[in-house]
Amino acid sequence: MRKLTIVGIGPGDYDGMTIRAVKALEEADVIVGYTVYCNLVKPHFPDKTFISTPMMREIERCRMALESAAEGKTTAMVCSGDAGIYGMASPVLELALEYGVEVKVVAGVTAASSGSALLGSPLSGDFSVISLSDLLTPSEAIEQRLECAAKGDFCIVIYNPSSHKRKDHLRRACETIMRYRSPETVCGIARNIGREGERFDIISLKELAESETDMFSTVFIGNSSTRRIGDRMVTPRGYSHE
Amino acid sequence: MRKLTIVGIGPGDYDGMTIRAVKALEEADVIVGYTVYCNLVKPHFPDKTFISTPMMREIERCRMALESAAEGKTTAMVCSGDAGIYGMASPVLELALEYGVEVKVVAGVTAASSGSALLGSPLSGDFSVISLSDLLTPSEAIEQRLECAAKGDFCIVIYNPSSHKRKDHLRRACETIMRYRSPETVCGIARNIGREGERFDIISLKELAESETDMFSTVFIGNSSTRRIGDRMVTPRGYSHE
């Protein structure tokens, strides 16, 4: 059976890829992906055929990858972070039966993990991952999830905190969470993880509400026990330290 | 300043490690970890000094790693999955100032991602990660988080679904979730990810409540739109497929 491999490339730098991801791209003849992600891997796999499409053309991109695989070409599709977390694994799996193509997913390091490593260890307790993008999820559902995660004292990771069209989404999310959690809650922003300009900020929830973020930012909101230790953001696991 | 690197090695096989994790272990003179994880990496780094301690000796292990680093030895501590998700990054960061050691965290692929890749794409929507281990978290807090995650229609990943002492925790968790979610909800169990005996089952929430799991199992509970497509578990992202 023809096969398509969906590869999570991690935050963006070569060292952030798994060995399995590198091998899958080495074995591929054709690499398909969003232009930005193709450009990240191209320097390391210069002899491959790249097929890239701009943002917002996700289904077209999935179909191009499935067609390439159906033609018998060894094809890999690249996603940033993990292929299964707000990635392309799901739309490809929904379409694959149509093309008679078997899909293999290669996991990658998602921004919850790579951003956490940069900040310290904010996710050592139970946590929830929520995207603020309302392109595919109704904003009422996002609002309800923010409330539930805040009530449950989950650490919260926010993907897609803002875009040109949704400048105030993060502020509104913080206001929702502040109904259940102190404005002094320790929060973090990881920016440009694994890319040029990588840096992090540790601030309060109140300050986060007024912060600027972009599509290369991942936001971490601590739970009730999260603390700043030195210059890092840490959620204690609860061990006694004798 | 002396430095300790906490390395997430992913699910357990060499190919599941990131390039950065491999480099960190290559550079280390001393590798510290839980016996099982040390044994996973030992064949690939045979010339290193290994310091391993059995389960339940986490703080002792952290202190041994910090002491080794404080003595000026290039030291890495290994964790399975990601170092920040139920890993050792947090207790090490809590202790590091005592030793004057700088801590660097290398992210890895956590079981939410590696198990998801095996099952298909169960986590394409917002999701919550909850450990059923009540060693460090009161069982009332775990119960409340299960309720909040179920109410918020989050996909739910369960770490540590059972142990010898907690045989009925998964059944009780499923009963809590079934108060908010259909017993027919599509669920998955990923077993021995990246190790011998790797396999997965896709079953209903009702069946999950009666399933046997162990400490090498990760459990995925779908949201209201999760479906079985072919032999895979998929949560659609909501794209239209024209």
Side-chain angles (χ1 to χ4, degrees):
Chain A
M1 198 177 181
R2 309 297 196 179
K3 208 169 71 181
L4 172 61
T5 307
I6 317 292
V7 180
I9 61 167
D13 56 340
Y14 186 77
D15 284 1
M17 294 179 73
T18 65
I19 310 277
R20 182 167 293 117
V22 172
K23 285 184 179 171
L25 297 185
E26 274 169 359
E27 281 165 18
D29 300 315
V30 178
I31 298 176
V32 182
Y34 168 41
T35 317
V36 174
Y37 307 149
C38 280
N39 291 344
L40 284 171
V41 297
K42 213 175 259 180
H44 307 290
F45 306 91
D47 58 331
K48 307 297 177 185
T49 302
F50 281 86
I51 303 179
S52 56
T53 69
M55 218 158 67
M56 312 294 291
R57 305 279 282 276
E58 287 79 10
I59 295 305
E60 185 185 331
R61 202 183 306 140
C62 293
R63 291 194 181 280
M64 286 164 97
L66 285 160
E67 273 158 27
S68 168
E71 286 164 12
K73 293 175 197 147
T74 308
T75 306
M77 187 171 192
V78 287
C79 308
S80 76
D82 180 44
I85 296 178
Y86 309 115
M88 288 295 113
S90 146
V92 166
L93 281 161
E94 288 182 76
L95 295 166
L97 295 180
E98 254 184 62
Y99 291 82
V101 166
E102 189 190 336
V103 176
K104 192 187 162 192
V105 183
V106 174
V109 174
T110 186
S113 291
S114 54
S116 167
L118 193 62
L119 284 157
S121 191
L123 303 184
S124 308
D126 301 327
F127 65 96
S128 295
V129 175
I130 301 174
S131 166
L132 295 192
S133 168
D134 55 4
L135 291 175
L136 300 172
T137 306
S139 47
E140 299 72 31
I142 299 171
E143 168 85 10
Q144 205 215 342
R145 284 179 184 154
L146 289 165
E147 280 207 33
C148 289
K151 272 187 209 171
D153 199 28
F154 284 96
C155 303
I156 302 172
V157 190
I158 292 183
Y159 282 52
N160 307 308
S162 65
S163 73
H164 294 303
K165 289 190 186 161
R166 304 174 286 107
K167 279 215 177 301
D168 64 338
H169 280 209
L170 180 60
R171 184 182 51 73
R172 280 162 42 200
C174 291
E175 284 166 2
T176 299
I177 295 168
M178 271 191 272
R179 295 210 299 269
Y180 305 92
R181 209 168 285 188
S182 160
E184 301 308 322
T185 302
V186 177
C187 295
I189 307 175
R191 301 180 194 269
N192 304 307
I193 310 167
R195 305 186 196 179
E196 214 182 299
E198 179 180 270
R199 69 183 181 94
F200 66 91
D201 302 303
I202 298 178
I203 51 180
S204 68
L205 181 52
K206 195 175 53 191
E207 289 164 333
L208 180 65
E210 307 305 327
S211 295
E212 288 278 329
T213 55
D214 62 22
M215 59 181 290
F216 302 106
S217 309
T218 308
V219 167
F220 294 76
I221 296 166
N223 70 13
S224 57
S225 65
T226 303
R227 294 185 288 136
R228 183 197 277 260
I229 298 181
D231 65 344
R232 312 299 284 276
M233 175 179 177
V234 179
T235 302
R237 286 192 67 192
Y239 291 111
S240 71
H241 290 170
E242 75 287 347
Chain B
M1 197 176 180
R2 309 298 195 179
K3 206 170 72 179
L4 172 61
T5 308
I6 317 290
V7 180
I9 61 168
D13 56 340
Y14 186 78
D15 284 2
M17 294 177 73
T18 65
I19 311 279
R20 183 168 292 115
V22 171
K23 284 184 178 170
L25 297 186
E26 274 167 358
E27 281 164 17
D29 300 314
V30 177
I31 298 177
V32 183
Y34 167 41
T35 318
V36 174
Y37 307 149
C38 281
N39 291 343
L40 285 170
V41 297
K42 213 175 259 181
H44 307 290
F45 305 92
D47 58 330
K48 306 297 177 185
T49 302
F50 281 87
I51 303 178
S52 56
T53 70
M55 217 155 71
M56 312 295 290
R57 305 280 281 277
E58 287 79 10
I59 295 306
E60 186 186 330
R61 202 183 306 141
C62 293
R63 290 196 181 278
M64 286 164 97
L66 285 160
E67 273 158 27
S68 167
E71 285 164 12
K73 294 174 196 147
T74 308
T75 307
M77 189 171 190
V78 286
C79 307
S80 75
D82 179 45
I85 297 178
Y86 310 115
M88 289 294 110
S90 147
V92 165
L93 281 161
E94 287 182 77
L95 295 166
L97 295 181
E98 253 183 63
Y99 292 81
V101 166
E102 190 190 335
V103 176
K104 190 186 164 194
V105 183
V106 174
V109 174
T110 187
S113 291
S114 54
S116 166
L118 193 61
L119 284 157
S121 192
L123 302 183
S124 309
D126 301 328
F127 65 96
S128 295
V129 175
I130 301 174
S131 166
L132 295 193
S133 169
D134 55 3
L135 292 175
L136 299 172
T137 307
S139 47
E140 299 71 32
I142 299 171
E143 167 86 11
Q144 205 214 342
R145 283 178 184 155
L146 288 165
E147 280 206 33
C148 289
K151 272 188 207 168
D153 200 27
F154 284 97
C155 303
I156 301 172
V157 191
I158 291 183
Y159 282 52
N160 307 308
S162 65
S163 73
H164 294 302
K165 288 188 188 164
R166 303 175 287 105
K167 280 216 174 301
D168 65 338
H169 280 208
L170 179 59
R171 183 181 51 74
R172 280 162 42 199
C174 290
E175 284 165 3
T176 298
I177 295 167
M178 271 190 274
R179 294 210 298 270
Y180 305 91
R181 209 168 285 187
S182 161
E184 301 309 320
T185 302
V186 177
C187 296
I189 306 175
R191 301 180 195 269
N192 304 305
I193 309 166
R195 306 186 194 179
E196 214 184 297
E198 179 181 270
R199 68 184 182 91
F200 67 91
D201 302 303
I202 298 178
I203 53 182
S204 69
L205 181 52
K206 195 175 55 188
E207 289 164 332
L208 180 64
E210 306 304 327
S211 294
E212 288 278 330
T213 55
D214 61 23
M215 58 181 290
F216 302 107
S217 309
T218 308
V219 167
F220 294 75
I221 296 166
N223 70 13
S224 58
S225 65
T226 304
R227 294 186 289 136
R228 183 198 276 262
I229 298 181
D231 64 344
R232 312 298 284 275
M233 176 179 177
V234 179
T235 301
R237 286 192 67 192
Y239 290 111
S240 71
H241 289 171
E242 75 287 351

